[in-house]
Amino acid sequence: MIPVLLIAIPLVTGLAAFFSRNEKLVRSWALFSSILTLAISILGLTIFSDAKYLEHHSAWMSTLGSSFSVKLDGMGQILCLLTAIAFPLIFISTWHSSYKKANNFFALMLLSQAGLMGVFLAMDALLFYFFWELALIPVYFLCSQWGGEKRIAVTFKFFIYTFVGSLLMLIGILYVYAHSQDHSFSIESFYKAGAALGHKEQTWLFWLFFVAFAIKMPIFPFHTWQPDTYEQSPTATTMVLSGVMVKMGLLGLIRWLLPVLPVAAYSWGNMASGMAVTGMIYASLIAIRQNDIKRLVAYSSIAHIGLMCIAVFSENKLALQGVMIQMFNHGINIIGLWIVIELIERQFGTRKLSELGGLAQKAPAMAILFVIIALANIALPLTNAFVGEFLMFSGIFGSNDITEYNILFTVLAGLCIILAAIYTLNMIRKIFYGDTVALTANVQDVKLSEKLALGIIVVLIFWMGVYPQAVLNITNDISDSILKLSDVHPMLKK
Amino acid sequence: MNVLILSAILGIVILFSGIYLKQKSNVRAIAIVGMAGLLLCNIWEMSSASFFHVNTEGMMRFDRFALLFISIILFSTLIYFVLSAKDMEKVGIHYAEYFALIFFILCGVVLVASFKSLLILFLGIEIISIPLYILTGSDKRNLKSNEASLKYFLMGAFSTGLMLMGITLIYGATGTFNVEQIQFTAEKPGVLPIAGMMLLLFSMAFKVSAAPFHFWTPDVYDGAPTVFTSFMATIVKAAVFIGFIRLFDETFGTFKEQWRLWIAIITVATLFIGNITAVFQQSVKRMLAYSSIAQAGFMLLAIFAMNSDAKEGILIYAAAYCLATIGIFAVLTKMSDYTFDGFNGLARQQPVVAALTTIFFLSLAGIPLTAGFLAKFYMLKAALSAGSNLWLVIFAVLMAAVSAYYYFRVIQAMYFKDGQATIQASPFFKGTLVILAAVIILLGMFPNLLLYWYYF
Amino acid sequence: MPINYYIFLSIALFCIGIVGVLTRRNAIIIFMCIELMLNAVNLLLVAFSKMHHLNAAVSGNVTAGTDGQLFVFFIMVVAAAEVSVGLAIIVMMYRNIHSVDVNFLNRLKH
Amino acid sequence: MNITQILFWLLSVMALFGALMVVVSKNPVYSVLWLIVTFFAISGHYILLNAQFLAIVNIIVYAGAIMVLFLFVIMLMNLNKETEPQKNRWLKIAGALAGGCLLLVLVAALRNSEMQGQSAEVNTGDIGLIKNLGKELFSTYVVPFEISSILFISAMVGAVLIGKKE
Amino acid sequence: MKNVLNIVYLIPLLPLIGFLINGLGRKHLSKGLIGIIGSGTVLASFLISVWVFMQVKGGNTYVADYFNFINVGALSIPFAFQIDQLSSIFLLIITGVGFLIHVYSTSYMHEEKTEHFGRYFAYLNLFVFSMLLLVMGANYVIMFIGWEGVGLCSYLLIGYWFKNTEYNKAANKAFIMNRIGDLAFLIAIFWIISKAGNVNYGDVFAFAQGNKFTATDITTITILLFIGATGKSAQIPLYTWLPDAMAGPTPVSALIHAATMVTAGIYMIARSNILYSLSPVTLNIIAIVGLATALLAATIAMKQNDIKKVLAYSTVSQLGYMFLALGTGSYVAAVFHVMTHAFFKALLFLGSGSVIHAMGGQQDIRKMGGLNKYMKITNATFLIGCLAIAGIPGLSGFFSKDEILAGAFSQKPFGIVLYIIGLGTALLTAFYMFRLYATTFRGNFRGTHDQEHHLHESPAAITIPLIVLAILSIIGGYVGVPEFILHGAHSLKDFLAPVFAGSYQVFEAQGISHEVDHSTEWILTGVSTALILIVVVFAWNKFSKKPDTEDAAGFGKVLANKWYVDELYEKIIVRPMNGLGTFLNNVFEKSVVDGIVNGVGRLVNYSSRQLRLLQSGQVGSYVLLMVVSMLLFFVFQFFLRK
C-alpha cells in the first residue's frame, strides 16, 4: 500500500499540475504534494512498518513474465525517505525563484520524483528499467527548458549518454531474463538465474550493467556529462540530480548487480573500485582548481560517489551499511550546499569564486549554515557524513584478511579526504571570508524559507552524526541479505 | 478474404463516386466509413465468420497471424485516412482515384499477408507496387514527384525481375510454387534453391528498403507527396515485412543457417546506414525516410531470430511503428517548412500538438511506456533468445541510441528553440492525435491488448 | 535438351538485361532491358515446366508443369500492366523536362 | 546433331545476339527492333518446347502490343541517335563488368548443380496446349486470375491519372 | 563511588551548553554575560574534574557507557567515557588552564564587537568540549571525534579575524596539516578494527598484551598513530602549521597551541603506551623525530623576532622533548612535562599577550625593550616563565626536563647521544628564551613615542591568571621530585602507575630499565644546571645591553627563514599538486575524457556526412551498387562459404 502511494501521489499530482496556469497555486500544490509524500514515507517507517503494508504485487504484462511488484525494504526506506525529504526542501528553498511556465516546471519535478520512487521501489527488472527511463525524461526537459545558456547541447549530451547506458543495461536484463527458469523479471528469479550463469557470461553482463550504473553515478571515466549538466541545469533540478538521482546508480549496484552477478562482481570488483578510486583523486584534484562553485561541488560529488562505489564492491557489512547511510547523508548535504549556492547565484548572478568574498560579514547566518554543511560534507566527526565514511573506510580496509588492494584503496581514497578539506576550505574562504568586494557589498542574508530548509538539513546532519544507529538499524537486514546473496564462497566451492 | 474482395469493391465504388459526387467531403466520408467497415469485417472474420467461401486451392490461408496483421494495417489506414485524407486534396484533382488506389493496395497487402503460393506473393507485391508508382508521381507538376516515381518505377521493376528469377529457380528445384509443398528437407539444399532464395532475399530487402538495396527509399519518400510518403513508409512497408517474414519462415525455414548470416549482415548494414545517415539530415521529411530504413533494420531482427517472440514482436512493431509515424507525418503534412528549424517553437503555438508529436517521437525512439519500447524490447528479446549473437543486439542498441539523437532534435526544436512555427489544427485533428497517442501508450503498457487476439 | 543449356541461356539473357540497365541512360531502353530480364525468366520457367513434366510423366502425373507455364502467363499480365504505367510515367516526365535521360533526375539526393 | 538441336543453337545465338544489340545499339528505335528479334527467338524456343500457347501470346503481347507501344512512345518523343544520352565510359565499363561477373558467378555456381543430367522434353508433351492450360487456369488458378484484374484496373487508373494532360 | 560516574558527562556537557548559549545568543547577550557563561561553564567542569581527580586517586579506572554510537555487525562502538589517572590529569590541565584563559580573554578580547565576542567564547567553549571529549573518550573513535573537533576549533579560532586573508590561509593550513595526520590516525583505527575487531581501550590493550597482534601489525599501527600525533602535536614533518597558527588571538595560542591541544598527541601515545612498548622500533623512531624536532625548532627560535613566533617555536621544541620522553619509554616524564609545560608556556603566552596588549598590537620584539619599568607583574611572571622553561632548579621545568634527560640517558646503547643533543637543545632553549626576555623587558624602550606613552600594566582579569600560572609554574614541579633527591617524592609517578603498569611489565620482559644510579644522575643534573645557568647569564647580558635589531645574515638568515622548510613544501608538494590539477582540468578532462565522448559524437556526424554522398541521386549508380553487393553476396555464399 505504502509503496504504491509513494509512486502514485507525485505521479497524479504532477499530471494534475500541468493544467494550472496560476504560478502561486501550482507552487503550493507541489509543496503540498511533496509534504504528503514525506508524511506517507514517514508513516511507512513508523506506524505502518509492518511488512504487509510495505509490499504490493499486481499482475502486469504477465505474458512477458513481468509484474507490477514494488516493495519497501531497508534500502528502499532510506532512499524513499531521502527523496521524500529532498523535494519539500527543494520546493521550500526555491520558493522565491520564479520560473516561466511554472506549471510545467513543477509538474515535471513531481514526475521525476515519481520516477525516482519507482526506481527505488521496483522489485521487477522490467519495472525497474521503466522507472529508470521515466525518471530521466522529466529531468531532460527540466534541464533543457529552464537551464543556462548552453543548456540544450549539454543536456542532450547527458540524455544520450545515460540513454546509451540504460540500453546496455536493458540487454543485460533481457539476457538474464532469457536464462531464468520461470522466464520472469521478478527480482528473486533474477537472483537465481544470474547466480547460475557461468563466469564468462557474468563477466560481460557485469560490464553491461556496470556501465549503465557508472554513467548514472557517475564513475570515472563516464562522468563528463555531470559537471556540465550540474552547471547548466536550474539549481532545483541539480539538487534532484546530485542529491537523489545519482543514488539510482548505487542502488542499481547494490540491488541489481552484486546479488545478480556475484561471481563477476567478486572477480571484477577490484577493477571497478580501481576506476572509482582513480576518479576520486582525479575529481578532487580538478575540484581544487575549479573557479565555478557549481562545477566544484559537482566534482566533489564525483569523489564522494566514487568512495561509495568502492565500498559497495568491498562486499562487507560495515562498508555496505556505510553506503546505505551515506547515500542518505550525501543527498542531504549536497542539497544543502546547492541551496546556498542557489542563493548566491540568484543574488550576484555569478558563481565565480574569484568574484566573491567576504559574505560572512553581512550574511553571518548564511556563512554559518554553509560552513556547517560544507564541513559535514568533508565528514567532520559528529556530522552525518563521518559515520558513513568511517564505516565505508573500515569496510574497504577489510576485516582480518587485509589484501594490498584494501590498503591501496583505503590510502588513495583517504588522500581524497585531505584533498576534500583543501578545496572545501578554499571555497569557504573565497566565498565568505576575506574582505567584501564591490559585488558582495550589499548582500542580504538568508530569507526565512531558506533558513527553514537549511535548518532542517543542519538538524538532520547532527542527528545522523550523533545517533546514526536509528538508520543503521533500518538497513541492517537488507545489507545482510544482499551480502548473503552476493557471497561467492559457496559457489566457488562447487 | 472479406477484406480482399470488399476493398476491391470499395475501390471501384470510390472510383465511381469520384465521378458522381461533386463534394470531395462525401468521397472522403465514403472512404473513411468504408475503411471502418473493412476493419469491422476483418475483426468479424477473426472470430471465424467469413462472408465469402472461396476455394483458393491452398494458395492463400487466412490464419490468425495474417488476419490480426491485416487488422493492424486496416486500423492504421483508418487513422491515416482520418488524419490526412483532407491533405490529399492538395496533391491533385484526382481525389477519388487516390482513395481507390489505396484500396487496391490494401488488396495487395491482404495477398502478401496471407499468401501460400509464390504466385500470390508475386501478384500481391505487384498490386502493391504499381499503384504506389502512380501515387508517388501523382503530383504531376512537381519535378521531384516525377523523378521519385520514375526512380521508384525503374528500380521496382528491376527488383521484380530479380524476384521472378528467384521464384523460377526455386520452381526449377521443386517443381511447385506452393509454399506447403516446397519442403527443403536437406540442411543444405542444392545450389538452385539457394540462388533462388538469395534472389528473393534481395528483392524483399529492396521492398522493405533494407541496405544495400535501400537507395530508392530516401529519394522516393522525399519526392513523393507527403501524404503518400506517410502511407508508403508505414503501412506498405509493414505489409511487405509480413510477406518477408512469412516467406522465410515457411518456405526457407528449414535451412535457417544458410540465410541467417546474410540477414544479419543486411540488418547491420541497414541499421548503420539508416541511423547514421539520418543524423545529418536537414529536412525532417528526409530524416523520417532514413529513420524508416533504420526501423526496418530493427524489424529485420525478427526475421533474423525467426521464433515465436519474433512473430509477436513484428506485430507489435508494425503497430507501434505505423501509428507513431503516421501521427508524425500527419503533423508534418500540415507544416509549411519541412526543415528541423521549421519546427522551432511549435510548443508555444500548439502545445497539445507538440506534446503529442513528442509522444510519437518518444515511441519511435523506444522510450518505455510507449509501444515503441515494447516493439524494440520484443525484437531484442527475440534476437537474444535466438542464440549467441550478442554483438548484433549490442550494435542494434547503440544504433537505437543514435536514433534517439535525431528524433530528439525535433523535440528540441519544438520545445527549446525560439520560432514561430505553427499549424492550423482543427479540434477534430487534435482529438484524433490524442486517441492515437492514447493507443500508443496503452499498447506500450498492455501489449496483451494486441497479442490477446493473436493467441485467443 | 539438357536443362542446363536453358539455365545458362536465360541467365545470360538475364545478365545482359542487367548490363543494359547499368549501361544505358535512356529510361525507355532501361525499361526495355528489364522486359528482357522478364523474358529470360519466362523462358527458364517454361523450360523448367517441361522438365518437371518429363520427370513427372514417369509417375504418370500428366498435368505436372502446367503451373510453370501459367506463371509465365501471369508474368506477361503483370508486365503488360507495368508497361502501361511505366510508359505513362516516362511520358509524364518527358512532358516536364523534355528528356528521358535518367541522369537528368538528381534533384533528390543525399 | 539433329534438327531440334540445330534449331536450339540457332535460336539461342539469335536471342543472345539480339539482346546484346538491344544494349549496344545507339539508336533507341534499333534497340526496340532488336528486342523484337530477341522475343521472336524466345518464342521460337517456346515452340521448340512445344508451348504453343505461350509462343503465340509472346508474339502477340510482347512482340506485338508491348513493343509497338514502346515504339510509339519513342516515335512520339522522336528520340534518335542524336538525342540519345551517353553514360560516361567508366560507368559503362563498371556496369558491364558487374553484369559480366554476375553472369560468371551464376554460371559457375549452377554449372554442376543438382540439375546435372536433367533435361527438358522438347517438341513433345502437351501441357503447353491451350486446352490444358485453359483448364488449369480457370479451375486451379481462377483466384489469381481474378485478382490480376485488380492489378489491371489499378494500372488502368494509373495510366490515365498519370498520362492525362491537365 | 558511582555518583561521580553519574555526573561525569557534565564535564564536557557544560562547555557544550556554554557554546550553544553563546553561539546562538551572541547577538542578544551582553559581553559580561557571555564572559560569565563562557568562563563559568569551564569553571564548573573544572570543579567536577577536581572531584573526579579525588575519586581516581585510588588507582582504579571507570568506564561510563552511554549509548551505542555505531553498532554494525560485529563492530560495536559505544559512546563511552573512560576516567582514570591519565585522563583526570588532563582534565585538570584542560579545565584549569582553560578557565584561567577564559578569564584572561574576557578582558583581552574586550574591544571586539559583541557578536564577535560571543563567537569567540562560543569557539573557546567548543574547543574545551572537544578537548574533553578527546581525553575522556573510552575508545579510539571518541578520541578521534575530539581529535578532529579540536582541529576544527583551532581552525575557527586561527581564522577568527576572518577579514584577514592571511589569517584564513593560516587556518586552512593548520586544518589541512592536521587532516594529514588524522588520515594516518584513521587508518590506524581501521587496522585496529580489522585485527582486534574493537576500538575500546581496554579490549585493544588486552588484545595487545595477549600478543595477538603480529609484529608488523603493531608496528604499523603505532607508526600510523604517531604520524597522527605529529600532525596534532606539530612534529617533523607536519609542524609548520603551528607557527602560522599564531595568527589567532593570543589567549587562543596560549590555550590551544601551547597548553592543551598540541599535547593531544602525547596524550594519545601515553594512552596507548602498551602498544608502543610492544614495538621498540616505533619508540626509537619517536625518540629520533622528537629530538630532531626539538633541536630544529630551537635553532629556528633563536632568530625569530616576533614574540609569539619565538614562543611558538619553543612550543614545538618542547613538544619534541615530550616525544623524546615517550620515545625513551619514560611516559611519566612526558606527561609530567606536558603538565609543567602547560603552566609555564600558557604563562609565557599570556604574558606576551599582555605585552602585545600594552604595545597596541605590536609583536616585534625589536620595537620593544625595557618594559619591566612599565608593567611589573607581567615582567615578573614572564621572568618566572622563562626560568621555568629554561630549567632553573626549583622551578617546575627543571624537574620534568631533568627527568626526560635522565630517561634519554638511560637508553641503551645510544642514550649518551640522545642526552647530549637533548642537553644542547635545553641550552638553546635557555638562550633564546632569555634573548626574548632581555630584548623585551630589559634595556630601554625602542618603540615609538606614543606607544611609550600608551604603555601600562594590564587590568586584573589579565594579571590574575598570570600570577596564578606563575605560582603553578613554580610549584608545579614538586609533584615529581626525582628519586635521587628525595625518595618516594615522585607522587605523580605513583599516581600514574596503574596506567603504565602494562608497559612496565613489557619493559621488564624486554629487560629494559630506565633506572640510572643516583650518583650518575647527580652528575648529569649538576652539569646541565651549570651549563644552563651560564647560558642564561650570557644571553641576559648580551641582549639587555645590545639586542640584535639588525636583520640576520649568513647562517642566521637561514634560521630566520626557518630553514626554508615552508618554501620546500611549497615547491615539492603544493605546486606540483596544483599543476597536476590544472593539467587535468584544462587538458586531460577536456581533450581526453570528454574528448573521447565528443569524439564519438563527431565521428557519427562525420560518417553521416560521408554516407550521405552514397545517395548520389543517380539511378544508375544505385542499381550498380545493388548489383555489386548482390555479386559479393553470391561470391561469398557459393565460393567462400563452407
Side-chain angles (χ1 to χ4, degrees), chain B residues 306-362:
Chain B
M306 200 56 85
N307 49 26
S308 60
D309 288 343
K311 283 268 185 69
E312 296 175 12
I314 201 76
L315 287 172
I316 298 211
Y317 209 112
Y321 169 68
C322 290
L323 296 176
T325 314
I326 286 172
I328 293 168
F329 266 109
V331 177
L332 184 67
T333 323
K334 298 205 181 304
M335 303 289 299
S336 50
D337 172 4
Y338 286 170
T339 62
F340 279 90
D341 300 339
F343 280 78
N344 287 358
L346 185 63
R348 265 173 216 63
Q349 315 293 337
Q350 287 283 5
V352 181
V353 177
L356 296 168
T357 319
T358 309
I359 291 179
F360 301 145
F361 273 114
L362 290 181

Side-chain angles (χ1 to χ4, degrees), chain B residues 100-109 127-128 131-132 135 231 236:
Chain B
L101 288 172
I102 287 175
F103 277 107
F104 293 143
I105 290 174
L106 285 178
C107 299
V109 172
I127 294 180
I128 292 174
L132 278 184
L135 289 179
F231 183 71
V236 172

Side-chain angles (χ1 to χ4, degrees), chain C residues 29-105:
Chain C
I29 305 290
I30 293 176
F31 190 20
M32 275 158 55
C33 295
I34 292 170
E35 290 300 326
L36 184 59
M37 289 162 69
L38 296 188
N39 272 275
V41 171
N42 291 352
L43 176 56
L44 190 56
L45 264 174
V46 174
F48 276 138
S49 79
K50 295 298 286 184
M51 178 188 87
H52 287 303
H53 185 259
L54 184 62
N55 300 349
V58 184
S59 62
N61 176 356
V62 288
T63 64
T66 34
D67 46 6
Q69 302 208 7
L70 282 172
F71 203 103
V72 175
F73 171 76
F74 280 104
I75 293 178
M76 288 181 179
V77 167
V78 171
E82 232 172 31
V83 168
S84 60
V85 173
L87 287 175
I89 292 174
I90 294 175
V91 169
M92 167 181 75
M93 188 189 85
Y94 185 82
R95 273 214 207 95
N96 290 330
I97 63 173
H98 298 291
S99 155
V100 288
D101 179 357
V102 288
N103 289 20
F104 201 86
L105 304 165

Side-chain angles (χ1 to χ4, degrees), chain A residues 157 161 220-225 227-228 281-282 285-286 288-290 295 299 317-318 321 358 360-361 364-365 368 371 375 378-382 386-387 389-391 393-395 397-402 407 410-411 413-415 417-422 425-426 428-429 432-435 464-469 472-473 476, chain E residues 23 26-27 67-75 77 79 115-116 119 123 129 133 141 144-149 152 155-156 159 162-165 168-169 171-173 175-176 179-181 183 186-187 189-197 199 217 224 577-586 588-590 593-595 597-598:
Chain A
K157 180 176 169 186
Y161 210 150
F220 175 89
F222 303 104
H223 64 277
T224 46
W225 61 267
D228 299 344
I281 295 182
Y282 177 84
L285 282 172
I286 289 183
I288 291 175
R289 307 302 297 165
Q290 283 306 323
R295 293 187 76 84
Y299 279 108
K317 181 74 185 293
L318 293 171
Q321 283 286 63
Q361 292 168 44
I368 292 164
V371 169
L375 291 176
I378 61 173
L380 214 69
L382 292 190
F386 171 73
V387 181
E389 293 205 352
F390 180 85
L391 283 172
F393 268 111
S394 48
F397 196 80
S399 50
N400 288 326
D401 51 347
I402 305 173
I407 299 176
T410 318
V411 171
L415 287 180
I417 297 187
I418 300 166
L419 296 174
I422 295 175
L425 294 184
N426 275 328
I428 294 173
R429 181 171 65 77
F432 291 104
Y433 297 158
D435 218 335
M464 301 291 263
V466 177
Y467 188 64
Q469 204 54 38
L472 292 173
N473 291 338
N476 189 34
Chain E
R26 65 191 191 288
K27 287 213 183 69
F67 62 91
N68 257 333
F69 178 49
I70 295 174
N71 181 2
V72 175
L75 174 66
I77 301 171
F79 196 98
E115 59 171 300
H116 292 307
R119 187 161 60 90
Y123 290 165
F129 162 74
L133 219 53
V141 173
F144 184 78
I145 293 174
W147 189 268
E148 284 234 314
L152 170 67
Y155 161 76
L156 292 170
F162 55 73
K163 277 188 194 171
N164 182 324
T165 310
N168 295 320
K169 285 188 174 153
N172 286 5
K173 186 177 179 184
F175 192 89
I176 288 155
R179 267 259 155 150
I180 298 171
L183 174 59
L186 262 182
I187 296 177
I189 294 178
F190 301 144
W191 208 300
I192 292 171
I193 289 176
S194 71
K195 293 300 172 186
V199 286
D217 285 340
L224 285 167
M577 191 184 72
N578 288 341
L580 183 58
T582 320
F583 166 76
L584 291 178
N585 184 27
N586 300 345
F588 192 77
E589 177 85 342
K590 297 232 183 335
V593 183
D594 208 9
V597 179
N598 298 338

Side-chain angles (χ1 to χ4, degrees), chain E residues 153-271:
Chain E
C153 299
S154 100
Y155 161 76
L156 292 170
L157 283 163
I158 296 168
Y160 170 74
W161 285 300
F162 55 73
K163 277 188 194 171
N164 182 324
T165 310
E166 284 315 308
Y167 291 3
N168 295 320
K169 285 188 174 153
N172 286 5
K173 186 177 179 184
F175 192 89
I176 288 155
M177 284 247 169
N178 274 305
R179 267 259 155 150
I180 298 171
D182 298 353
L183 174 59
F185 190 172
L186 262 182
I187 296 177
I189 294 178
F190 301 144
W191 208 300
I192 292 171
I193 289 176
S194 71
K195 293 300 172 186
N198 198 325
V199 286
N200 301 334
Y201 296 140
D203 310 337
V204 175
F205 298 154
F207 193 85
Q209 274 171 306
N211 290 327
K212 297 214 187 67
F213 283 115
T214 65
T216 34
D217 285 340
I218 199 148
T219 317
T220 340
I221 292 171
T222 44
I223 289 177
L224 285 167
L225 285 175
F226 172 61
I227 296 173
T230 56
K232 192 65 70 189
S233 301
Q235 294 300 294
I236 292 173
L238 298 178
Y239 69 93
T240 54
W241 65 270
L242 185 52
D244 297 15
M246 295 305 133
T250 314
V252 172
S253 316
L255 176 61
I256 299 183
H257 304 119
T260 52
M261 180 184 96
V262 288
T263 61
I266 290 92
Y267 169 79
M268 181 236 272
I269 291 177
R271 172 57 77 192

